[in-house]
Amino acid sequence: MPGRQPFAAAVTGLGLVTAAGTGVKATWHAVAGGGRPEGVRRHPELAELPCDFMYTAAGLDPAAELGAAAARLMDRFSQLAVLAAREAVADAGLDPAAWDGSRVAVVIGSAHGGLPFYDEQHAVLAERGPRRVSPKLAPLTVVNGAASSVCGDLGALGPSLAVSTACSSGTVALGTAHQLLRSGACDLVVAGGAESVLSRLLIASACRLKAVSTRREDPATACRPFDAGRDGFVVGEGAGLLVLERPEHARARGATPRAVIRGYGASSDAASIVAPDPEGAGIERALRAALADAQVAGAEVDHVNAHGTSTVLNDLIEGRALVRVLGERPLVTSTKAVTGHTLGAAGGIETALTVLALEEQTVPPTVNLTTPDPQLPAGLDLVRGAARRARLRCAVKTSLGFGGHNAALVLTRD
């Protein structure tokens, strides 16, 4: 809204569950290390599809962490959200037993909710009849399942919201949390995204759409953002949640912010249901809106964690828009070759990684980027090969989603 006062939401806690590792430390180590991705695996559920692989958190047993009874009341995307939320809250130094739950909100984005359970129950219906279908199908698979589960686990009694704007869901959830805090509706928000879509139906559709990579000979190199040889994204599962607080609330309890979110912008392409605006006008509007909200000039941005999906259209359109708005100064990376494209969770995971980049003064490399697309602007400074140390004061996270949903966040160290 033009003329309104800027607002800085304090980021006091991070929580991550990804194919790169369980927990913030493990994920950052893999992302910043820039080595060969280890989280991408072939799956028998996807056998005979052109893309038979995706990024999954192998070895993670949510039931062991949550308890078998609690885990049975959640789909996997909700389980991942609860695990990430617990880490974020602990990282923030908060005790849910001691807080005023009525002042705590939860906002979690997801593109597909509990889609694999739909697949499973459809098979049950077809093979065993309607009397064998689970009565838990609706409550476990709805997109708000993650937010509901996190509220129940933490005792959060304030606003509980589910955001579903395709692959920008996590970023929009964080922007919504920023606005909730600014409005005074709450003092603290647990926000981000969660997704788990090991679904033969979804991947088969994505193959028909030619959205996913079919580089079956070496899945670890299939996701290659901004590379001339890219041929599509690789789906991943994960959750990334952050604790955001009103600055006075964080100060009153002696918390030191890990970073602050200063601005948020969103827009719609109002065009294709799948392809981004070919001129990048939509993401440009969202980015300019976020900068205006933060009262930050494009020339002040040091780093961009780009959406960078490894699709031909997205990377080219996004790269051009970044240079138009921010110039040639920012160090740009995409971390999806290490985590996979986690769809609605991507914005949450990648915003947490952006906070870590600001803290560590280190930009992770764009893994698998060997030959930048020659159609990209020459001034787009893509970090590749190895992480790059730099003086980072201000960073941007961008996201684009099917249906033309664009979002951007502006973060600073303090």
Side-chain angles (χ1 to χ4, degrees):
M1 189 182 301
R4 68 177 173 180
Q5 291 298 308
F7 178 78
V11 179
T12 56
L14 306 177
L16 290 171
V17 178
T18 72
T22 299
V24 170
K25 185 176 180 180
T27 298
W28 176 252
H29 178 76
V31 167
R36 182 178 172 85
E38 297 181 356
V40 60
R41 299 169 180 86
R42 298 185 192 278
H43 292 274
E45 297 93 332
L46 308 179
E48 300 179 8
L49 294 181
C51 177
D52 63 352
F53 50 90
M54 65 177 284
Y55 289 76
T56 52
L60 175 65
D61 181 7
E65 301 290 332
L66 303 172
R72 282 196 296 270
L73 297 178
M74 305 178 207
D75 187 80
R76 186 169 170 88
F77 86 109
S78 298
Q79 295 169 352
L80 301 183
V82 170
L83 293 176
R86 287 182 177 181
E87 183 184 26
V89 168
D91 182 48
L94 290 160
D95 178 5
W99 66 23
D100 177 1
S102 68
R103 298 293 297 168
V104 178
V106 173
V107 187
I108 299 179
S110 179
H112 293 285
L115 185 58
F117 194 50
Y118 270 113
D119 282 4
E120 175 188 315
Q121 292 302 304
H122 182 270
V124 169
L125 176 64
E127 296 168 11
R128 301 171 64 188
R131 294 181 63 83
R132 306 299 296 180
V133 172
S134 171
K136 296 186 292 186
L137 177 66
L140 264 64
T141 58
V142 286
V143 171
N144 71 302
S148 173
S149 295
V150 169
C151 283
D153 190 69
L154 299 179
L157 305 175
S160 173
L161 304 175
V163 172
S164 192
T165 54
C167 303
S168 64
S169 298
T171 303
V172 173
L174 287 162
T176 301
H178 181 266
Q179 293 177 333
L180 277 172
L181 291 168
R182 174 184 247 153
S183 75
C186 51
D187 297 321
L188 183 155
V189 189
V190 179
E195 203 81 80
S196 183
V197 287
L198 180 49
S199 163
R200 184 175 176 82
L201 181 63
L202 178 69
I203 302 302
S205 174
C207 290
R208 291 292 311 280
L209 191 60
K210 301 187 185 305
V212 293
S213 174
T214 56
R215 198 183 296 266
R216 294 180 58 162
E217 67 276 11
D218 188 7
T221 65
C223 182
R224 42 201 319 118
F226 300 107
D227 192 84
R230 68 193 184 278
D231 71 328
F233 63 81
V234 181
V235 174
E237 70 170 357
L241 294 181
L242 291 75
V243 173
L244 274 56
E245 300 184 54
R246 290 183 60 83
E248 62 271 24
H249 185 269
R251 281 195 301 269
R253 65 183 192 86
T256 300
R258 301 187 67 158
V260 298
I261 295 178
R262 292 191 175 273
Y264 166 61
S267 71
S268 174
D269 291 345
S272 169
I273 61 170
V274 289
D277 181 315
E279 301 302 320
I283 187 59
E284 181 174 339
R285 282 195 303 274
L287 186 48
R288 291 190 186 280
L291 292 169
D293 190 37
Q295 297 188 6
V296 166
E300 297 178 72
V301 176
D302 304 306
H303 166 48
V304 179
N305 186 302
H307 192 54
T309 58
S310 186
T311 61
V312 173
L313 280 178
N314 175 91
D315 295 6
L316 189 59
I317 289 166
E318 184 181 15
R320 289 171 174 170
L322 290 175
V323 171
R324 282 200 306 273
V325 178
L326 305 177
E328 301 179 0
R329 183 168 182 266
L331 302 179
V332 179
T333 193
S334 168
T335 49
K336 284 184 171 67
V338 182
T339 64
H341 186 4
T342 55
L343 309 179
I349 292 169
E350 292 158 14
T351 299
L353 295 174
T354 305
V355 170
L356 291 164
L358 289 169
E359 280 189 336
E360 300 294 328
Q361 296 287 279
T362 300
V363 177
T366 304
V367 170
N368 293 332
L369 172 56
T370 57
T371 306
D373 187 336
Q375 296 185 75
L376 288 165
L380 186 67
D381 193 352
L382 293 164
V383 177
R384 57 192 176 113
R388 197 184 305 179
R389 295 280 297 173
R391 184 178 181 276
L392 306 178
R393 174 76 180 81
C394 179
V396 161
K397 170 71 203 121
T398 51
S399 293
L400 297 83
F402 277 5
H405 300 285
N406 309 291
L409 296 169
V410 176
L411 300 89
T412 60
R413 291 187 69 185
D414 50 36

